[in-house]
Amino acid sequence: MRERTSRRLVKRVASIGAGLLASALLAACGNSGGGVPTINLYGSASDAGFDQILGPCNAAAKGRYKIVGNLIPSDADSQREQFVRRLAARDSGMDVLGMDVTWTAEFAEAGWLRELTGEKKQQATAGVLQPPIDTATWKNKLYAIPRSTNVQLLWYRKSLVPQAPKTWDDVLAVSKKLKSEGKPYIIGITAAQYEGYVVGFNTILSSLGGTVVNKDSTKVTVDAKTVRALSILKNLATSGLASKSLSNSQEPEVFAQMQNGEAAITMNWPYVLSAMRAANKKVAADLGVTRIPEFAPGVPARATLGGLNYAISKYSKHPDLAFEAAMCLRNPANQLKGALSPAGNVPTLKSVYDQPEFVKAYPMKDDILAEMKTAVPRPVTPLYQNISTIVSTTLSPPSAINPDATAQELKDKIQQAIDGKGILP
């Protein structure tokens, strides 16, 4: 969630056209001829501070290969579109694939990824937290190296909200009070028509004990809990407590709402603290953070799991070198660098959480680890993109949700997708 989907405020991101052009040029010349092999990386190369990771890894290669980072679109949906087109064409210019955690089943089922077995599997999973390993696994086979993980947290301005909200009702009550006092009061969430909206909806629904499909994604499970989750979104959108740009809010917009003094409370990823320290030290010093609030009082919330994994393309001409490169890019030292940079990439390696620098930079590390223990994935299925598209379009804009009718529409459309019927929105 990937969450990493749209950090335009903390990434150097080129336009889609420029990214595609750069990709084509690099792929065309990268592995041709008899010189030093080029290992083309797609995904994560635009992370703030990535040059501090790439440089040492190329130095460590000692001339045996050169890793080249390629720019791709900034949002997960557009990234996936580019990956699918090129992998379906068996593009050998793609070596290391920085994949959103929701793509594993689809890409593995399509035969685009190299399974990691034996020593490679052992290296890829040694010392890694179990939830990230699960995101890199499909049908009990490992297809990727867990690079970073993610769970959303509740961020608030301590000068406005002295006590951390415990429940969603607390969040609403605090916001209403602040609004009545003429103070910043906005509740920020991602509700634009994209993957980040699906993350937020999945968190609310999972926290209520609901799901949209069964465990093996063969049957839709929309029910009264779905109606309740939709009611929460509808009520927020029409309460006057959300941003007027709610239906266009992605992660950067929610970040900006906190940075510019508009929002008092937001749901966003852990990168907020490192990014805010780089963007506005005064606001960063005023940030409070806690776990996602309870949406059913007395029932702990369950955050949606995000992150990014490094997979090796089935069509790479240098798969062994690509694996070596990927392992360097996500080694403990580089995971720490990624966490400390404005990109705020949450580590997958247990050992990094005990590093003094990490402990200092992530005072909320215990909240992250606690949420990860109960975090839920989005539906694990090769059909995930279909389901995600249906959810984000059917629920957009949030102000137009009719809880009962929208739940029924979700039920019908998702089941049609599972059955291979219907047309995607």
Side-chain angles (χ1 to χ4, degrees):
M1 182 274 15
R2 291 323 292 70
E3 70 301 349
R4 72 183 182 88
T5 56
S6 304
R7 297 182 195 160
R8 297 190 297 273
L9 292 173
V10 295
K11 292 183 177 181
R12 305 186 306 276
V13 181
S15 66
I16 293 177
L20 288 172
L21 177 59
S23 299
L25 291 173
L26 286 165
C29 65
N31 290 322
S32 60
V36 175
T38 293
I39 302 301
N40 282 308
L41 164 70
Y42 288 84
S44 81
S46 60
D47 283 0
F50 184 73
D51 55 332
Q52 298 178 27
I53 294 173
L54 183 62
C57 282
N58 275 329
K62 297 181 179 179
R64 293 181 299 112
Y65 59 85
K66 180 180 181 181
I67 310 168
V68 174
N70 294 266
L71 296 178
I72 58 175
S74 60
D75 66 280
D77 293 339
S78 297
Q79 290 171 10
R80 177 192 164 276
E81 182 180 356
Q82 182 179 143
F83 276 47
V84 167
R85 287 178 177 178
R86 297 187 62 176
L87 290 168
R90 302 189 176 189
D91 188 340
S92 62
M94 304 181 80
D95 299 295
V96 180
L97 310 176
M99 307 193 315
D100 190 285
V101 293
T102 63
W103 301 347
T104 305
E106 178 187 8
F107 286 19
E109 194 71 11
W112 295 335
L113 309 179
R114 291 182 179 271
E115 181 189 354
L116 302 181
T117 60
E119 186 177 346
K120 284 187 173 67
K121 180 178 181 179
Q122 184 177 2
Q123 291 178 28
T125 58
V128 177
L129 296 164
Q130 187 60 46
I133 294 175
D134 294 341
T135 70
T137 302
W138 172 241
K139 292 183 177 179
N140 297 317
K141 296 180 180 180
L142 186 72
Y143 286 97
I145 303 162
R147 195 285 305 248
S148 57
T149 189
N150 240 345
V151 284
Q152 289 192 327
L153 300 164
L154 191 73
W155 298 91
Y156 59 95
R157 294 289 298 271
K158 292 184 289 188
S159 60
L160 299 169
V161 186
Q163 186 173 351
K166 298 297 184 184
T167 69
W168 184 248
D169 287 341
D170 290 341
V171 171
L172 296 174
V174 168
S175 178
K176 288 178 182 177
K177 182 176 183 294
L178 290 171
K179 186 176 183 180
S180 70
E181 296 172 347
K183 297 177 181 178
Y185 63 90
I186 291 298
I187 301 169
I189 66 169
T190 52
Q193 187 178 306
Y194 82 120
E195 183 62 26
Y197 190 15
V198 181
V199 169
F201 170 67
N202 190 68
T203 292
I204 296 171
L205 179 59
S206 299
S207 299
L208 296 172
T211 57
V212 292
V213 293
N214 61 359
K215 189 173 182 179
D216 58 2
S217 301
T218 57
K219 184 178 180 180
V220 68
T221 54
V222 170
D223 58 14
K225 294 171 183 175
T226 313
V227 175
R228 174 59 183 149
L230 293 174
S231 297
I232 289 172
L233 288 172
K234 169 76 173 188
N235 291 341
L236 175 63
T238 57
S239 65
L241 303 178
S243 171
K244 293 180 180 178
S245 61
L246 177 65
S247 62
N248 294 310
S249 293
Q250 298 189 19
E251 284 94 339
E253 287 73 28
V254 173
F255 179 93
Q257 289 160 16
M258 184 68 82
Q259 181 185 0
N260 65 23
E262 179 184 2
I265 304 172
T266 63
M267 283 173 55
N268 212 335
W269 305 96
Y271 85 97
V272 166
L273 184 56
S274 56
M276 194 65 76
R277 283 169 172 160
N280 190 319
K281 288 183 171 57
K282 182 178 179 181
V283 174
D286 192 34
L287 282 179
V289 60
T290 188
R291 297 185 61 179
I292 295 294
E294 297 174 355
F295 290 93
V299 181
R302 302 192 68 185
T304 297
L305 194 64
L308 180 143
N309 299 325
Y310 283 142
I312 310 305
S313 169
K314 187 72 172 287
Y315 309 111
S316 171
K317 294 180 179 179
H318 309 284
D320 290 338
L321 295 179
F323 176 82
E324 181 181 329
M327 287 297 296
C328 180
L329 292 171
R330 85 96 211 240
N331 67 26
N334 287 330
Q335 284 217 342
L336 180 60
K337 289 179 183 177
L340 299 180
S341 76
N345 294 320
V346 179
T348 59
L349 294 169
K350 300 175 187 176
S351 62
V352 179
Y353 287 80
D354 296 325
Q355 294 295 316
E357 290 176 275
F358 182 82
V359 173
K360 181 179 179 180
Y362 284 75
M364 69 293 196
K365 79 176 185 71
D366 290 338
D367 287 327
I368 293 173
L369 290 170
E371 282 200 352
M372 204 174 298
K373 288 180 180 179
T374 59
V376 292
R378 282 152 280 180
V380 181
T381 169
L383 295 174
Y384 176 73
Q385 189 62 32
N386 296 20
I387 295 173
S388 174
T389 300
I390 289 169
V391 171
S392 65
T393 54
T394 304
L395 273 55
S396 297
S399 59
I401 290 173
N402 178 323
D404 289 303
T406 302
Q408 186 60 51
E409 185 178 357
L410 272 180
K411 186 175 183 178
D412 294 341
K413 288 183 176 179
I414 293 174
Q415 191 61 55
Q416 287 176 357
I418 291 172
D419 295 339
K421 303 175 182 178
I423 301 174
L424 283 178

